Amino acid sequence: METTIEQLLASRPATAFDVELPAAKVAEFRERGFTSIERITSDEELGWLREVYDWLFAERVQAVPGGYFDLSRPYDSPGDDLQPQIINPEVRLPELRRTAFWRNGKALAGALLHVEASKLLGWGHMIRKPARVGESLPWHQDEAYWDPGFAYTALGCWMPLDPATPESGCMRFIPGSHRGVVRTHRHVGEDPSVHALFTDDVDPNLAVAVPLEPGGAIFHHCRILHSSGPNRSPHVRRAYANEWQLPAVKRDVAAPRPWIDEGKQAWKRRAKSIVG
Ligand code: NI
């Protein structure tokens, strides 16, 4: 008999997996805007997370309204997804907040951002690059996706569940770019109904690729320029990331980010078409 999601959740391994963050990693994060560690959780938890992850994508779970979509194609396109994403999976499965990945990510985010970890809010997203067809995610800054009416202190904690290699679409960064402003972004294909954003304001020759084994983690600043290549390998490349941030602070004047307004309109049209 197949395992149900309830049985799977009940079988979550209680993982006491503590990680230390050497001072050199904190310095690297400050200087370059990203750093990585070899392990953030145990093999047992990693195995459990893979099963949970596969269930979420097999069921195309919308943990929040509209929270499942293909990043690389217009919303709700027919056919196979090129790069599906699930937002806020922990809203549907609160067990995801009880993992070593969650706990360690939060603690290390506090150390890297120089804030009290208990003040950080966390939310997750999962990006899946199917074998051979998984699309690239072009150069962007995560903050470019967020409400420009607020200022952020934030980083992403990104963990691959499969080997992340140049062939399978590992992450790439422009060191030091986190110190700059949010660059001008556009929607992929100049189509606001495609969720993914990109910027041309980048020199890819400066890119540093960060291959990583499953269960390792990259911490990256919300303003660092980063991208990931397509998955040309014969294996799926699953990744799970949590964003860690202080409560966002309202700005007196919203930063001008027209691509956000265009995206909001497309999202509204989508919501209407789903409701019918
Ligand atoms: Ni990103």
Side-chain angles (χ1 to χ4, degrees):
M1 237 177 69
E2 254 184 58
T3 313
T4 64
I5 186 63
E6 288 75 21
Q7 288 168 327
L8 182 56
L9 295 177
S11 72
R12 182 178 64 83
T15 300
F17 190 91
D18 294 325
V19 287
E20 304 244 320
L21 193 65
K25 297 281 181 188
V26 180
E28 183 181 48
F29 180 81
R30 300 234 128 191
E31 179 65 25
R32 307 182 93 196
F34 64 96
T35 190
S36 61
I37 58 173
E38 279 179 26
R39 287 305 294 234
I40 191 167
T41 187
S42 66
D43 285 342
E44 293 73 32
E45 186 173 282
L46 199 51
W48 179 80
L49 281 172
R50 287 190 185 107
E51 288 190 63
V52 170
Y53 191 103
D54 288 347
W55 178 81
L56 285 163
F57 279 94
E59 300 291 323
R60 296 181 162 224
V61 167
Q62 312 235 3
V64 292
Y68 175 103
F69 51 85
D70 190 347
L71 275 164
S72 300
R73 301 187 301 156
Y75 291 126
D76 307 308
S77 297
D80 293 337
D81 290 331
L82 301 178
Q83 188 162 220
Q85 166 159 267
I86 289 174
I87 305 273
N88 298 121
E90 71 284 351
V91 171
R92 171 69 179 80
L93 304 177
E95 288 79 2
L96 291 171
R97 294 196 182 99
R98 300 194 194 107
T99 61
F101 174 51
W102 184 275
R103 187 174 63 245
N104 289 333
K106 184 174 186 172
L108 270 52
L112 290 167
L113 293 170
H114 275 261
V115 301
E116 263 181 60
S118 61
K119 297 203 169 117
L120 290 170
L121 309 172
W123 58 273
H125 58 117
M126 297 169 160
I127 299 181
R128 187 174 185 277
K129 288 186 195 281
R132 294 201 174 90
V133 300
E135 258 292 357
S136 59
L137 206 52
W139 290 104
H140 68 278
Q141 294 159 295
D142 288 347
E143 192 181 336
Y145 282 87
W146 302 347
D147 186 336
F150 292 85
Y152 301 90
T153 300
L155 61 68
C157 171
W158 184 93
M159 175 174 72
L161 306 184
D162 303 289
T165 65
E167 193 197 10
S168 75
C170 69
M171 294 271 264
R172 304 177 294 222
F173 297 92
I174 306 290
S177 57
H178 62 302
R179 292 200 206 90
V181 295
V182 173
R183 321 258 170 134
T184 298
H185 283 64
R186 285 178 285 158
H187 288 265
V188 164
E190 310 287 349
D191 180 351
S193 69
V194 178
H195 196 80
L197 299 172
F198 74 100
T199 181
D200 285 332
D201 190 2
V202 57
D203 179 358
N205 294 317
L206 302 175
V208 172
V210 185
L212 201 62
E213 289 296 312
I218 298 172
F219 292 82
H220 64 277
H221 189 279
C222 63
R223 280 207 178 172
I224 191 144
L225 283 160
H226 60 288
S227 66
S228 63
N231 183 4
R232 300 189 201 286
S233 84
H235 309 288
V236 64
R237 196 232 64 182
R238 293 165 288 190
Y240 179 13
N242 287 317
E243 297 293 327
W244 294 107
Q245 58 185 81
L246 290 178
V249 178
K250 188 116 179 75
R251 289 175 190 270
D252 292 337
V253 181
R257 290 178 201 158
W259 59 90
I260 295 272
D261 301 324
E262 294 161 12
K264 266 190 194 160
Q265 293 303 320
W267 187 271
K268 271 187 203 157
R269 287 194 294 274
R270 178 195 186 202
K272 255 189 204 160
S273 75
I274 290 174
V275 175

